Amino acid sequence: MAWIIAPEPVDSPVAAALWREYYTEVSDRWYLLHEGRLTDPAELEREIAAHPGTELAPPTGRLLVARYDGEPAGSAGVRLLDASTAELTRVFLRPGARGRGGGPLLVGAAEEAARALGAGRMILDTRGDLVEARALYARLGYREGAPHNDAPYAEHWFAKDLAGAEVTGAEATGADGTGADPGGARLS
């Protein structure tokens, strides 16, 4: 089984399906935690329509889709905020694809996309209840710091210097250098 990560048009059916799954999961988690209910379907539709991901389109953004064994398995978005800073967003793996090493590969590909856009620094924000995401970012060298935005659901802010931090060696290929990530997948 191999991971393949490639750019995807933000308006493709694959991108739309992954965005819907991502938004549903993070929204449902928030509402269950804070209000004991799932997201209202009408609100979900409004938010998806209001945030179609156009900021992730070239020339100042990229949407990446990860495929595992040929099937869409996740996504990550990158957008330039200024000439040297990119934001990482919409990092998501479908539940069935988790634990197979795709997260580090997807974030690494997003970092490469940010470098290709000219960024030397990547920033992101996340929520406190998304503990898996926070652990992944910390493991990949992101450092938590002061707020860099006032996004309504942001509770943790991370940054990573991309200059000279190419994803090579154990970080990209697995500790044994074989191209296998810790989850046993191979990036093709």
Side-chain angles (χ1 to χ4, degrees):
M1 304 276 183
W3 285 100
I4 297 172
I5 300 171
E8 181 83 17
V10 298
D11 59 354
S12 78
V14 168
L18 289 166
W19 169 230
R20 177 173 291 283
E21 287 180 53
Y22 165 84
Y23 191 78
T24 300
E25 181 175 325
V26 298
S27 181
D28 282 351
R29 282 177 74 161
W30 191 89
Y31 277 113
L32 284 169
L33 179 65
H34 296 281
E35 297 184 13
R37 65 173 179 89
L38 296 176
T39 308
D40 176 85
E43 178 186 359
L44 181 69
E45 293 307 317
R46 280 192 309 274
E47 288 301 311
I48 288 172
H51 303 285
T54 54
E55 72 279 6
L56 303 177
T60 58
R62 297 290 182 277
L63 177 66
L64 302 171
V65 167
R67 287 177 169 79
Y68 186 72
D69 196 28
E71 294 297 318
S75 64
V78 175
R79 69 180 181 131
L80 282 179
L81 299 177
D82 60 41
S84 63
T85 305
E87 179 183 34
L88 178 62
T89 186
R90 295 192 188 190
V91 177
F92 172 72
L93 284 175
R94 286 180 162 156
R98 295 175 188 164
R100 298 173 189 224
L105 295 174
L106 193 51
V107 173
E111 291 172 357
E112 287 300 315
R115 282 188 200 90
L117 292 170
R121 180 173 177 250
M122 184 87 87
I123 64 171
L124 64 96
D125 64 68
T126 192
R127 296 190 327 233
D129 63 307
L130 300 176
V131 294
E132 306 91 343
R134 291 181 15 237
L136 173 67
Y137 301 136
R139 191 169 70 244
L140 296 177
Y142 287 80
R143 301 289 175 245
E144 190 165 357
H148 56 255
N149 65 25
D150 59 357
Y153 298 103
E155 297 172 322
H156 298 270
W157 295 264
F158 290 85
K160 182 176 181 179
D161 179 10
L162 299 178
E166 284 201 41
V167 183
T168 59
E171 184 177 348
T173 62
D176 62 359
T178 64
D181 70 344
R186 182 174 291 280
L187 178 61
S188 298

